[in-house]
Amino acid sequence: MRAVIVNGFGGPEVLEVVETAVPEPAAGQLRVRVTATAVNPVDTAVRAGIFGGAGQPVGFGWDVAGEVDAVGAEVTGFAAGDRVVGLHYGAVKPLGAHAEYVVLDAAAAAAAPASVDDVRASVLPLSGLTAARAVAQLGLPAGSSVLVTGAAGVVGGLAVQLAARAGLVVTALAGAGDEELVRSLGAAHFVPRDGEPDPVDGVLDTAVLGERALGYVKDGGVYVGVHPGAAPAAVRGIRVEEQEVAADGAHLAELAGLVDAGVLDLRVARTYPLDAAAEAHAEQSKGGVRGRLVLVP
């Protein structure tokens, strides 16, 4: 099978598409024929060597959408031919989801949302789980005010939708041209990226603004970051938390249900063949992409 790897870190040009053996599922695992796999900011960080792994081949890709190809022993609830989505967790791994086949723990997979195709479904695992866990960590009651930074991005946009569904009054901080988009996702208020929001009960900081975002939280409020290790120090009695995603098939199934119910919109900017992974990485690195870039093996 073909898979995207690097043997040394750097820019998009270091990516290689290589031929390698099709992986075999162990007990409790599924083998999935990948039909679509999203490119995320974490992939560009892995390529740059931020997570380490020097001296060994490193694979790419966390998001899986496709068809179950084989099941290992002790797997229940899945059968060959099932459409699934899943999270292939881990920054440094020999093979990732940017491949023609991937092996996942069955507990990391869920039935794919029936209302969207595999390209759109591939956006859900990493971004959806990240946004959902971050909104839950806010721990705010309905009617509370929350600021979502980076609200026009994929994680930020999903956070806006989930926070609004939870009854939170959302202010979206995004680019000047993104007001219509973020309001369509459920934001009650909009502030341009260089503006100054009113104080809020909580901030969900997908743009990693750090101390600037913390400054918008009321005394005794809450700040939730989505990049582990990047949160600012707590001040003024503010509870500071960081979200770290985990492979959770049960939670992913709930999110797939919200997609089918029309609650969550999965945005795709464009697709690329697997052989054009370097081109997709280059586009991702430019920033400002409104929707995920998706590889189609």
Side-chain angles (χ1 to χ4, degrees):
M1 71 167 188
R2 293 176 302 144
V4 180
I5 67 163
V6 293
N7 283 293
F9 301 122
E13 71 281 355
V14 302
L15 294 173
E16 302 177 47
V17 179
V18 300
E19 288 287 341
T20 189
V22 175
E24 293 295 332
Q29 293 185 322
L30 309 172
R31 184 171 66 210
V32 178
R33 181 178 65 82
V34 180
T35 53
T37 175
V39 177
N40 289 280
V42 68
D43 294 308
T44 61
V46 171
R47 188 198 71 230
I50 290 174
F51 298 100
Q56 60 182 307
V58 176
F60 289 84
W62 295 53
D63 286 320
V64 179
E67 181 179 284
V68 175
D69 177 68
V71 297
E74 304 173 12
V75 172
T76 59
F78 295 99
D82 289 348
R83 285 185 66 233
V84 294
V85 288
L87 184 69
H88 190 25
Y89 181 87
V92 180
K93 51 203 175 192
L95 289 174
H98 293 172
E100 292 180 308
Y101 292 89
V102 67
V103 166
L104 296 175
D105 289 342
S115 59
V116 298
D117 62 15
D118 288 356
V119 168
R120 288 179 64 193
S122 74
V123 177
L124 183 62
L126 180 57
S127 296
L129 288 168
T130 297
R133 289 165 67 91
V135 170
Q137 278 184 276
L138 286 169
L140 294 170
S144 300
S145 58
V146 62
L147 174 72
V148 178
T149 71
V154 175
V155 174
L158 289 168
V160 169
Q161 293 171 74
L162 290 164
R165 179 177 181 271
L168 302 176
V169 181
V170 178
T171 296
L173 186 71
D178 292 320
E179 180 172 4
E180 181 178 354
L181 168 63
V182 296
R183 287 190 181 276
S184 75
L185 298 175
H189 309 289
F190 170 77
V191 176
R193 189 178 293 122
D194 57 356
E196 289 294 315
D198 292 333
V200 289
D201 299 312
V203 163
L204 202 166
D205 188 18
T206 76
V208 200
L209 300 183
E211 290 186 3
R212 177 189 167 197
L214 190 73
Y216 302 135
V217 182
K218 297 176 183 177
D219 292 358
V222 58
Y223 167 102
V224 177
V226 299
H227 292 263
V235 295
R236 297 184 286 110
I238 296 169
R239 174 169 55 91
V240 172
E241 302 225 0
E242 292 182 317
Q243 186 284 144
E244 182 160 5
V245 75
D248 185 340
H251 198 177
L252 190 54
E254 295 174 7
L255 295 173
L258 293 180
V259 174
D260 285 337
V263 174
L264 293 181
D265 181 27
L266 303 174
R267 292 179 290 140
V268 174
R270 62 186 63 87
T271 62
Y272 298 82
L274 193 66
D275 289 339
E279 184 180 342
H281 270 239
E283 184 68 18
Q284 178 67 44
S285 296
K286 293 176 184 177
V289 178
R290 294 297 177 254
R292 278 287 173 254
L293 306 175
V294 177
L295 300 178
V296 180

